[in-house]
Amino acid sequence: MIPRNLWHMASGLVRRKITKPEPGALYLYPSVWRSRAGLKDCNFGDKLTENAFLRHMELSVWYACGSMGLLHACARNRWYFVFGSQGVRVFKDIKAFQAYEVHSRVIYWDDDWQFLLAQFKCPETGELYAEGMSRVMLRQGRERVNPRLLHEDIGLPNLVDKEEVPELVQKFLAWDAVADKSMKRTADMNAIRYANRKGPAVLSAYSMNLPFAMKQE
């Protein structure tokens, strides 16, 4: 995945060098990334897998970061992006070798997070195939960076904060909270199971493979 990320960053940088787009993509208007469903992304089946939707959401963001100057801003300020959580809803399958577009736009931000909506669409009709949401944070070292500093750096200092949290973001946060509880509950159960095993286990209650450490008595 890392080579593909780097490739799309470079593609965005080349695109910016050849034809510099108008400021505001991802914020004032969607960034559009075009692709086609390859066999590997379909797991050599007949349709794009759910994991592939998530991967392509991320690839479209890296392309936009290169083409819109976000990578330049990060390099100047030693910032970097951290993806917090992602979710996707598939409305219609994308078949193998089928062309599609990913329209990405930041629809909300606060002091810490930016919420990026990605819509998979038919290039010809605009039909919506899938819709995904990513929660992204900007950091400098271990410190969180206010997204408004990025807006100012890329020439959008007058972006107006949204007064209300969009309904899509509210639903995403509700789903994320439920998923977080489920992950912690599963991790605790696995930690207890491995700790009570009589024989040596590949994973232990303190294994780095567990997403959360088991609470000690």
Side-chain angles (χ1 to χ4, degrees):
M1 188 62 183
I2 293 178
R4 294 184 74 178
N5 289 346
L6 294 175
W7 172 265
H8 284 82
M9 289 181 197
S11 298
L13 291 171
V14 172
R15 172 64 184 274
R16 180 176 179 82
K17 190 71 174 179
I18 296 174
T19 308
K20 190 173 182 179
E22 295 183 8
L26 284 179
Y27 293 97
L28 300 180
Y29 62 92
S31 169
V32 180
W33 177 74
R34 297 174 176 85
S35 187
R36 191 176 293 272
L39 277 179
K40 190 174 184 300
D41 289 317
C42 297
N43 278 348
F44 299 97
D46 63 344
K47 63 182 180 181
L48 204 65
T49 65
E50 185 172 316
N51 287 339
F53 279 100
L54 296 173
R55 287 197 301 270
H56 289 188
M57 283 168 52
E58 189 172 341
L59 292 176
S60 68
V61 172
W62 290 127
Y63 174 80
C65 286
S67 63
M68 298 312 303
L70 274 69
L71 291 182
H72 296 78
C74 289
R76 283 193 298 268
N77 298 282
R78 297 184 179 180
W79 295 336
Y80 62 93
F81 289 104
V82 175
F83 281 79
S85 52
Q86 293 177 299
V88 64
R89 297 184 299 173
V90 179
F91 305 116
K92 184 177 180 180
D93 292 335
I94 296 179
K95 301 298 183 181
F97 304 114
Q98 183 177 345
Y100 61 92
E101 296 177 343
V102 181
H103 294 235
S104 303
R105 185 172 183 177
V106 177
I107 62 172
Y108 182 73
W109 59 85
D110 55 24
D111 293 343
D112 297 318
W113 295 98
Q114 299 187 80
F115 294 85
L116 185 70
L117 177 67
Q119 295 180 318
F120 291 72
K121 294 184 176 183
C122 174
E124 298 178 355
T125 66
E127 180 183 7
L128 185 62
Y129 295 142
E131 190 172 65
M133 182 83 72
S134 301
R135 184 164 58 156
V136 185
M137 178 183 290
L138 194 62
R139 282 180 175 262
Q140 185 182 53
R142 295 187 177 183
E143 299 296 324
R144 301 183 179 189
V145 177
N146 192 310
R148 298 171 187 86
L149 296 177
L150 174 63
H151 302 165
E152 184 175 352
D153 198 290
I154 62 175
L156 300 173
N158 298 320
L159 276 180
V160 180
D161 292 352
K162 297 184 182 297
E163 296 182 0
E164 297 183 0
V165 181
E167 184 179 0
L168 275 176
V169 175
Q170 293 181 28
K171 291 181 178 179
F172 176 78
L173 290 174
W175 165 83
D176 193 40
V178 172
D180 182 61
K181 290 181 180 179
S182 176
M183 289 173 61
K184 289 180 179 178
R185 184 168 57 250
T186 301
D188 288 341
M189 291 173 59
N190 287 340
I192 294 172
R193 184 181 301 115
Y194 291 127
N196 292 335
R197 290 182 63 172
K198 295 181 179 179
V202 176
L203 297 178
S204 70
Y206 311 100
S207 171
M208 62 180 294
N209 295 291
L210 296 178
F212 301 96
M214 181 180 176
K215 295 181 180 180
Q216 302 297 314
E217 297 295 339

